[in-house]
Amino acid sequence: MSTAETDLVEPHAAGPRVEVLPPRDVPLGGPRAMTVRRTLPQRSRTLIGAWCFVDHYGPDDVAHTGGMDVAPHPHTGLQTVSWLFTGEIEHRDSLGVHAFVRPGEVNLMTSGHGIAHSEVSTPATTTLHGVQLWVALPEEHRHTGRDFHHHAPAPVALDGGEARVFLGSLAGDTSPVPTFTPLLGAELSLRPHATVTLDVDPAFEHGLLVDRGEVTFAGTPLHPADLGYLAPGPTTITLTNTGDTDARLILLGGTPFEEQIVMWWNFIGRSQDDITRAREEWMSSANPDRFGAVDGYPGDRLPAPELPGIPLKPRGNKR
């Protein structure tokens, strides 16, 4: 990845500086891979708050792409946050949860020390479109037990649009879904040419992912699939839809995550040894309790790729 992928834009001399993180295409899901647009992590930025992974996909015609079929696979040291705009995904995990991801409803799964799950778009799905997000667990909680939460946030009216707050607090609404660090996650919609100013926590850094539309974030233009980053400090953020159609956005935030992490495949640890051990236990089943079994998926589980031939190094944001 070239450092040219990241642009720093100074919209106004007196205004906050927004870092623009453009997407890159990544195959996801093993042999039946679908293509996603990934904006986090990047070389210039590993995390926004504890958010460490942002994948954006669709709208995909399932009849053409085959949809999503991700066989049982493991996770450690993180929470997965699934949010759909269109379609439906069937979720099964080794906690015994059998649930569905539907538009406007968040599913949050905590891996802790280890969990396995599968994700498959349902037969009724014709178009698949959404985001898959990860949250890094802090050291004191990264070996916590498996957990799962579902929440369908009600829309909150804004002057020029609406919000659905799936994590944290915004616009007078608070999600009941628990997190291990202070976080914000919300879907925002803006009417054509609308400007919305939102009160935010000045201790948070924020990321704005554009799903559709042309918008400005603190005065900086963002295009579809861009992720704009804003450092802590502002007490408000201003968003403007500069286009003639509705804009849809995902707003993420959190207090800066001060720990360095090692992230490889589906694992988050703090060292190469953490990752090597997790991979060995997934592949050998020497410790069957580490990840557990996923019941009901009609096929084999996903094997781990080979570890790279160079050491895995901890990464974090430069302060």
Side-chain angles (χ1 to χ4, degrees), residues 1 60 66 92 119 129 142-143 150 155 172 192 196 205 208 257 272:
M1 184 194 319
D60 291 337
R92 298 177 184 270
E119 301 160 288
H129 188 188
R142 71 183 180 98
H143 295 295
H150 170 89
V196 172
E205 48 190 4
L208 185 72
F257 195 81
Q272 170 102 28

Side-chain angles (χ1 to χ4, degrees), residues 235-299:
T235 58
T236 63
I237 57 174
T238 298
L239 312 172
T240 298
N241 179 0
T242 59
D244 296 328
T245 59
D246 288 351
R248 183 164 55 200
L249 318 165
I250 294 291
L251 180 62
L252 305 174
T255 53
F257 195 81
E258 302 294 347
E259 302 173 29
Q260 290 196 321
I261 62 174
V262 177
M263 183 163 61
W264 177 82
W265 194 44
N266 298 315
F267 305 133
I268 292 181
R270 297 299 184 274
S271 68
Q272 170 102 28
D273 287 346
D274 287 342
I275 302 300
T276 300
R277 186 178 306 110
R279 183 190 182 280
E280 288 176 350
E281 291 183 340
W282 172 251
M283 292 298 290
S284 69
S285 299
N287 181 2
D289 294 333
R290 175 76 190 267
F291 298 105
V294 178
D295 295 327
Y297 179 83

Side-chain angles (χ1 to χ4, degrees), residues 5 15 20 30 42 64 67 70-71 74 90 198 212 244 271 289 294 297 312:
E5 290 180 353
V20 182
Q42 296 205 16
H64 176 69
V70 186
E90 185 175 23
L198 298 166
R212 67 183 183 200
D244 296 328
S271 68
D289 294 333
V294 178
Y297 179 83
L312 300 172

